[in-house]
Amino acid sequence: MKKLALLATALAMISSSAMAADMAVKAVKAPPPAPFDPWDIAFGAGILSDYIFRGVTQSNHNPSVTAYFEPRYNVNKDLLLYIGTSTESISFANRAAAEVDVYGGIRPTFGAFAFDIGVWGYLYPGGTCYFGAPFDTAGKPLSPECAVNALANGNVMKKDVSFFEVYGKATWTINDNWAFTINEYYSPNFLNTGAWGNYSSIIGKYTAPSTVFGSSGVGMYVSGEFGRQWLGTSDSFYGVPAFPNGIKYADYNTWNIGIGFTYKVFTLDLRYSDTDLSKGNCSAFTSDFTAGGTTNVTPINPGGTGSNWCGAAGIAKLSVDLTAMSNLK
């Protein structure tokens, strides 16, 4: 009987200890999940050795600075709404003060596919009209400002070259290393020339494994883009004697390839860019105030001035990119 009593006592003690341990475990509650905050803000800045847009310099092959601010609203994990603004320093023939961009759109995601659909406005405040005559080639009267201001090489440019584009992008992320993007942009009045513009391109990007530089935290990627810019016919402001009502701008191909290095919020991108646009057609398209010579004659450039604004260029860009969610908490 004593042995049975001792055994019963031991079992009761073990059972009580197990129940106490179980109760202790159950008493520890998991912390409540963090509340979902749909709002975020992306912002950043950069300095470039040359501001190249679709193969064409916007800064006369000189350095440029840029900054952007983009509020975002996450409807859910697969749908983001955004608006934004950015600024870039430029060097246009009409002496515009800067490029100011205003844009907005949606970014839905479906598995490995991410889309971006929106509208982008390009504003160029502070410009001056350069023409040098009271009437254009079609006999239409111009403003006094246009009449009294002229570029030395004979190129012309409107006071306001602001315009907007609608765009769509689709990115396929194959894995952690490879991604491909298709872009499509359309403007009914590209650079306020009167000509429509359509730009399509494909981008490939390879992101190296995070261990490529050991535990340094430095990342690396290689990317390249091939695109084609289609353009319509300008209004009479840009006309020439053979085409007084406007010139049909030359379509062209553009491409770039580069390597980038990332560290925390910083990115250094080194890139080569080029186009197949001739110097004569480049001068007519850009109104380059530095274009010179008389040997680059084309149907839309009877004066023969040649521009290097559309040729080969190397670009180095150092940028910093942050988001409120990731970097300000």
Side-chain angles (χ1 to χ4, degrees):
M1 290 295 291
K2 288 182 179 180
K3 290 181 178 181
L4 290 174
L6 288 170
L7 180 60
T9 302
L11 289 173
M13 291 174 65
I14 293 171
S15 177
S16 298
S17 298
M19 288 178 66
D22 187 50
M23 288 176 66
V25 171
K26 290 181 178 179
V28 177
K29 294 183 178 180
F36 175 68
D37 186 355
W39 291 100
D40 199 0
I41 298 174
F43 57 99
I47 181 169
L48 305 83
S49 62
D50 193 351
Y51 174 22
I52 300 289
F53 178 72
R54 299 176 190 170
V56 180
T57 181
Q58 310 291 285
S59 58
N60 189 21
H61 292 305
N62 291 317
S64 173
V65 293
T66 181
Y68 73 93
F69 180 80
E70 184 183 290
R72 300 170 174 176
Y73 181 79
N74 295 278
V75 178
N76 54 51
K77 67 181 183 67
D78 295 320
L79 181 61
L80 182 148
L81 311 179
Y82 66 94
I83 58 173
T85 183
S86 66
T87 58
E88 294 82 18
S89 59
I90 61 171
S91 181
F92 276 14
N94 69 350
R95 307 302 196 267
E99 177 182 317
V100 180
D101 303 328
V102 180
Y103 60 91
I106 62 172
R107 294 178 183 141
T109 302
F110 302 93
F113 296 91
F115 299 87
D116 189 349
I117 304 165
V119 179
W120 196 292
Y122 305 80
L123 308 176
Y124 302 96
T128 299
C129 181
Y130 285 87
F131 196 91
F135 300 93
D136 66 20
T137 53
K140 296 180 180 179
L142 300 174
S143 70
E145 180 183 77
C146 295
V148 300
N149 293 302
L151 297 173
N153 60 11
N155 278 339
V156 300
M157 195 170 194
K158 292 180 179 179
K159 174 186 178 70
D160 182 13
V161 294
S162 303
F163 71 106
F164 77 91
E165 291 181 313
V166 293
Y167 61 88
K169 307 176 186 180
T171 299
W172 176 29
T173 302
I174 299 175
N175 51 41
D176 291 340
N177 304 113
W178 288 99
F180 292 90
T181 300
I182 295 175
N183 300 302
E184 174 65 26
Y185 292 79
Y186 176 79
S187 172
N189 189 5
F190 192 79
L191 281 171
N192 195 28
T193 59
W196 57 265
N198 188 88
Y199 180 72
S200 302
S201 76
I202 183 169
I203 298 173
K205 183 176 181 180
Y206 170 76
T207 302
S210 59
T211 57
V212 68
F213 292 108
S215 59
S216 66
V218 176
M220 185 186 76
Y221 64 84
V222 177
S223 66
E225 178 183 19
F226 180 85
R228 183 164 179 81
Q229 178 75 64
W230 289 272
L231 295 160
T233 300
S234 76
D235 56 36
S236 59
F237 182 93
Y238 293 98
V240 296
F243 306 100
N245 294 315
I247 55 176
K248 168 61 178 75
Y249 290 116
D251 305 329
Y252 68 93
N253 298 320
T254 179
W255 54 91
N256 66 77
I257 188 168
I259 184 170
F261 302 92
T262 60
Y263 180 72
K264 295 184 178 179
V265 298
F266 299 97
T267 300
L268 174 63
D269 188 279
L270 307 174
R271 192 158 301 275
Y272 167 82
S273 173
D274 205 351
T275 77
D276 62 358
L277 196 58
S278 71
K279 289 186 175 182
N281 287 332
C282 180
S283 180
F285 174 52
T286 63
S287 301
D288 177 4
F289 62 92
T290 69
T294 58
T295 60
N296 297 282
V297 176
T298 71
I300 62 174
N301 181 11
T305 56
S307 170
N308 69 351
W309 281 12
C310 309
I315 313 108
K317 179 180 180 181
L318 178 63
S319 58
V320 56
D321 301 279
L322 307 94
T323 63
M325 282 284 195
S326 302
N327 305 108
L328 299 184
K329 287 192 172 183

